[in-house]
Amino acid sequence: MADLAAHVGVSRQLVSLVLRDAPGASAETRRRVRAAAKELGFSPHVGARSLRRARSKDLGVVFAPAHSTEPEIVEAIYPAASALGYDVMLSAQTSTRSTDEAVDELLGHRCAALVVIGSTVDLRAIARRSHVPVVDVGFGRPNRYYDVVRSSGDLGIEQLVDHLADLGHRGVTYVDPTSMPPGALRRRGYERAVDRRGLTGDLLPVPGDYAAADYFSEAGATAARSLLDRPELPTAVIAPNDDTAVALLHTLIRHGARVPEDLSVAGFDDAPIARTSSVDLTTVRQDPAHLGAAAVRAAVRRVQNPDLHPRETVLDTSLVVRTSTAAPRRPRPRSRTAGQHVESAG
Amino acid sequence: MADLAAHVGVSRQLVSLVLRDAPGASAETRRRVRAAAKELGFSPHVGARSLRRARSKDLGVVFAPAHSTEPEIVEAIYPAASALGYDVMLSAQTSTRSTDEAVDELLGHRCAALVVIGSTVDLRAIARRSHVPVVDVGFGRPNRYYDVVRSSGDLGIEQLVDHLADLGHRGVTYVDPTSMPPGALRRRGYERAVDRRGLTGDLLPVPGDYAAADYFSEAGATAARSLLDRPELPTAVIAPNDDTAVALLHTLIRHGARVPEDLSVAGFDDAPIARTSSVDLTTVRQDPAHLGAAAVRAAVRRVQNPDLHPRETVLDTSLVVRTSTAAPRRPRPRSRTAGQHVESAG
DNA sequence: GACAGCGACTAGCACGTGCTAGTTCCATCA
DNA sequence: TGATGGAACTAGCACGTGCTAGTCGCTGTC
């Protein structure tokens, strides 16, 4: 910066003023400083800036690149933070890098607050040792140590069950990947709605390892095989995430079932895959942009007023009806040999 | 850090020694300093550290969270960098945040080098204005401004064509999502191999918008419908990425075709979706861990010796044979009405 | 003509750390 | 006993910036 000042022929302080858009420099000087900065390829040293600055304007974000829904939230955080005058600093949590390591890096950068996306660990210890506000995005429970931002997974599933019941289904099967963190909440929504509508419940648990990259898909395929082994298919199946629903749907189709003629299939998330024309899945949308923006708001709220208590933000979900669900038909007898296919219905 | 020193009853400099594992402190002192640091929740100020330090040990990484293959590379970069004593700093490139913005943030942090993953913009200007080594991971062409790390997409497709030819296929259709950045290279591999093996070539271009999240899947669905409109299906189809291949496969199955009996389908990437049992796609594996490690090595090489010229690193791919490809059968007549299904082959 | 007021600019300190150059203490040895 | 040396520790500067408190010169006012 001193070099730049010498190059323009003014003091370093004036350059500083210009670069942070502070008042007290003439238009002509601003122009010349900006031009010189661009010419010399100068960018201010973020470290020195954060060292000197009274309070940090950085938002630390911990996320897991491997989980398909998190990048969408990360994308949404950038414009939301920028609108409130904050910068974003990312830190990945991977199979070789624990949440604690990711958090420590961000604390070292003196972030004003931490946003932790989709974490499965208890954030209480982290909230205590980091002396900044912590926001959990995903599936935390309300508490007095950190904020929680999540979508209403239970109500979303209820919307799905209502949709299927309205179509005339008398029973709804629910595939439950038991290791899925938000699973318990969504399952409760299913149970509540089935009860309320007087439907026949049918819970199909699929255990597995949440850390495996293909756990959700594999759970759908497993569930489909399990259904195909039954003497009769259900008329409607819900999976609590789109990856599971899509794998379920394709495995069923591959073995001769028709969707939605033979059975309706619905998912949850409105992931990109659900929208493609080869799938066209009825699902529940939880808008990642809203989640990201709400997380930023929650963090900034507590940065600006540290005495406020952490709170829970629950975002509405919306039902997205596509062609994978329809009214049930009268059950038909079907052949069940693997690899064999049903005849054309004409 | 001064607080910490006072708390332990030693000088600040000694605490500094302990925290960066430098020699010159007794074992007992180390223990006490470490304990106090943990108790007070102290972590050194990264900004101040980078300000004082002679040379940076940070590797800046630009990636697009929305692209499904990039997070895997990001994951691999962490252990590779850590093994060479480098820290990783992420910066996202999104629909609201240009590559230039992402790069500027990293330059502000005074990273020792930049790794740009899957970028479609020309990195020459960036390489010039950032006075640090730049590595392009993905599909760049060799040049004298920045390093390029990529996998041998052309040879990978050749492996696929060879595999299909070995199975007895006489012609291979190639679905080409024309807006896909590494597409040109892979298509050349296809053309070369078809030529070499004396097969019947059949190029099926699918235009579209690379920025759309579901472009690849939609391209597969589009290609499938196009194939279904033909009087006769080809016996083998290759798509240059797994998302396209999977959408193609499922759309074909949904319209009554059987894979691999009626036709073989192959993809490229060995994405998690290709491994799931409802898909089980023959594909070409480009190991993201190798790409990430090679990128880190390339960056560190030039950091340690800035006079070296940038170079290109091409990583081998490996064929992964699964059940979506098989020997061709004699073509059978088939009904072509949408939504209708072929009869069981018995 | 003295003086206040204002816009444009500058002086100098402080932020938290790493590093070089010390200083102190104690054991060892001729 | 005094010199030697090494281990353990400390003093103080420098890094690049933001911020407070100025200085300088010009204009308008009585």
Side-chain angles (χ1 to χ4, degrees):
Chain A
M1 191 159 172
D3 296 356
L4 211 172
H7 188 265
V8 181
V10 296
S11 71
R12 187 192 58 72
Q13 290 77 0
L14 193 52
V15 173
S16 173
L17 283 187
V18 172
L19 292 184
R20 58 195 149 93
D21 288 323
S26 69
E28 169 62 12
T29 306
R30 281 183 200 282
R31 198 192 52 72
R32 285 173 54 214
V33 169
R34 291 238 167 76
K38 189 162 192 178
E39 183 193 340
L40 300 185
F42 173 82
S43 63
H45 192 299
V46 179
R49 179 170 278 188
S50 90
L51 186 59
R52 191 60 190 83
R53 230 165 198 156
R55 59 195 189 289
S56 162
K57 282 295 215 175
D58 284 326
L59 228 53
V61 175
V62 176
F63 75 113
H67 292 341
S68 56
T69 53
E70 299 188 17
E72 289 194 75
I73 300 173
V74 170
E75 288 227 2
I77 283 179
Y78 273 98
S82 157
L84 294 173
Y86 282 77
D87 284 332
V88 173
M89 179 160 297
L90 299 180
S91 187
Q93 183 236 311
T94 74
S95 52
T96 62
R97 195 164 186 266
S98 69
T99 304
D100 275 324
E101 286 176 83
V103 165
D104 283 342
E105 185 202 336
L106 295 175
L107 292 179
H109 282 287
R110 298 293 183 270
C111 291
L114 296 184
V115 173
V116 183
I117 303 177
S119 172
T120 54
V121 308
D122 187 11
L123 299 184
R124 217 174 311 176
I126 288 172
R128 195 167 306 174
R129 80 159 196 277
S130 68
H131 303 287
V132 296
V134 173
V135 179
D136 180 22
V137 181
F139 20 84
R141 298 173 63 84
N143 66 83
R144 58 200 178 102
Y145 303 99
Y146 52 89
D147 281 77
V148 169
V149 172
R150 63 174 180 86
S151 54
S152 55
D154 46 352
L155 299 184
I157 294 291
E158 289 199 53
Q159 288 175 289
L160 269 186
V161 174
D162 280 332
H163 162 66
L164 291 167
D166 290 346
L167 285 173
H169 292 271
R170 312 288 297 270
V172 175
T173 298
Y174 185 82
V175 176
D176 184 22
T178 52
S179 313
M180 177 182 167
L185 181 69
R186 296 184 190 175
R187 191 183 60 241
R188 277 199 295 278
Y190 164 76
E191 285 162 349
R192 209 156 50 211
V194 160
D195 210 40
R196 176 164 51 75
R197 298 292 298 239
L199 303 178
T200 308
D202 175 24
L203 207 57
L204 187 54
V206 186
D209 175 19
Y210 178 59
D214 57 356
Y215 167 47
F216 286 173
S217 293
E218 210 48 67
T222 304
R225 283 190 292 268
S226 161
L227 292 180
L228 290 164
D229 277 345
R230 296 185 179 179
E232 200 166 306
L233 282 180
T235 70
V237 184
I238 292 176
N241 72 73
D242 284 348
D243 285 344
T244 299
V246 168
L248 175 89
L249 184 149
H250 284 139
T251 306
L252 289 170
I253 289 175
R254 185 160 218 174
H255 288 82
R258 293 173 313 160
V259 175
E261 291 83 356
D262 294 338
L263 86 173
S264 292
V265 175
F268 193 106
D269 283 342
D270 196 26
I273 181 76
R275 299 166 212 158
T276 58
S277 55
S278 69
V279 174
D280 209 41
L281 186 73
T282 293
T283 186
V284 175
R285 175 165 182 77
Q286 49 174 342
D287 198 328
H290 290 172
L291 278 175
V296 170
R297 275 198 304 272
V300 171
R301 163 178 167 271
R302 286 190 56 218
V303 166
Q304 291 177 342
N305 198 337
D307 296 331
L308 293 178
H309 289 298
R311 63 183 179 189
E312 186 187 31
T313 306
V314 180
L315 296 177
D316 286 346
T317 54
S318 56
L319 183 67
V320 180
V321 177
R322 296 206 180 89
T323 59
S324 70
T325 50
R329 288 196 178 181
R330 192 170 51 83
R332 298 177 305 126
R334 34 185 298 285
S335 63
R336 280 169 42 223
T337 316
Q340 207 173 347
H341 296 259
V342 296
E343 290 176 8
S344 165
Chain B
M1 190 182 236
D3 296 355
L4 212 173
H7 189 265
V8 181
V10 295
S11 70
R12 188 191 57 73
Q13 292 77 359
L14 193 54
V15 173
S16 173
L17 282 187
V18 172
L19 292 185
R20 58 195 150 97
D21 288 322
S26 69
E28 169 63 12
T29 306
R30 281 183 200 282
R31 197 192 53 73
R32 284 173 53 212
V33 169
R34 292 240 167 75
K38 187 161 191 177
E39 183 194 341
L40 299 185
F42 174 82
S43 63
H45 192 299
V46 179
R49 180 170 278 187
S50 91
L51 186 59
R52 192 60 191 81
R53 230 167 197 152
R55 59 195 190 291
S56 162
K57 283 296 214 174
D58 284 325
L59 227 53
V61 176
V62 176
F63 75 114
H67 292 343
S68 56
T69 52
E70 299 188 16
E72 288 193 75
I73 300 174
V74 170
E75 287 227 2
I77 284 178
Y78 273 99
S82 155
L84 293 174
Y86 282 77
D87 285 332
V88 173
M89 179 159 298
L90 299 181
S91 187
Q93 184 237 311
T94 74
S95 52
T96 62
R97 197 164 185 265
S98 69
T99 303
D100 275 324
E101 287 177 83
V103 165
D104 284 341
E105 184 202 336
L106 295 175
L107 292 179
H109 283 286
R110 297 295 183 269
C111 291
L114 296 184
V115 173
V116 183
I117 304 177
S119 173
T120 55
V121 308
D122 187 11
L123 299 183
R124 217 174 310 175
I126 288 172
R128 195 166 305 172
R129 81 159 195 275
S130 68
H131 303 287
V132 297
V134 173
V135 179
D136 180 24
V137 181
F139 21 85
R141 298 172 66 83
N143 65 83
R144 59 202 177 100
Y145 303 99
Y146 52 88
D147 282 76
V148 169
V149 173
R150 62 174 180 87
S151 54
S152 55
D154 47 350
L155 298 183
I157 294 290
E158 290 200 50
Q159 288 176 290
L160 270 186
V161 173
D162 280 332
H163 162 66
L164 292 168
D166 290 346
L167 285 172
H169 293 270
R170 312 288 296 271
V172 175
T173 299
Y174 184 83
V175 175
D176 184 21
T178 50
S179 314
M180 178 182 167
L185 182 69
R186 296 185 189 173
R187 191 183 59 240
R188 277 199 296 278
Y190 163 76
E191 285 162 349
R192 208 156 52 211
V194 160
D195 209 40
R196 175 165 49 76
R197 298 292 297 240
L199 302 178
T200 307
D202 174 24
L203 206 57
L204 188 56
V206 186
D209 174 19
Y210 179 59
D214 58 354
Y215 168 47
F216 286 174
S217 294
E218 211 49 65
T222 304
R225 282 190 293 268
S226 161
L227 291 179
L228 289 164
D229 277 346
R230 295 185 179 180
E232 201 165 305
L233 282 180
T235 70
V237 183
I238 292 176
N241 72 74
D242 284 348
D243 286 343
T244 299
V246 168
L248 175 88
L249 184 148
H250 284 139
T251 306
L252 289 170
I253 289 175
R254 186 160 216 174
H255 288 81
R258 295 172 313 160
V259 175
E261 290 84 355
D262 295 339
L263 84 174
S264 292
V265 175
F268 193 106
D269 281 342
D270 196 25
I273 182 74
R275 299 166 211 158
T276 58
S277 55
S278 68
V279 174
D280 209 42
L281 186 74
T282 293
T283 186
V284 175
R285 175 166 181 77
Q286 50 174 342
D287 199 329
H290 290 172
L291 277 175
V296 171
R297 276 198 306 272
V300 170
R301 164 180 167 271
R302 288 191 55 219
V303 167
Q304 292 177 342
N305 199 335
D307 297 331
L308 293 177
H309 289 298
R311 64 183 179 190
E312 185 187 30
T313 307
V314 180
L315 297 178
D316 286 346
T317 54
S318 56
L319 184 68
V320 180
V321 178
R322 297 207 179 91
T323 58
S324 70
T325 50
R329 288 196 178 178
R330 189 171 52 83
R332 298 178 303 125
R334 34 184 298 284
S335 64
R336 280 168 43 223
T337 315
Q340 206 172 348
H341 296 259
V342 298
E343 290 177 8
S344 165

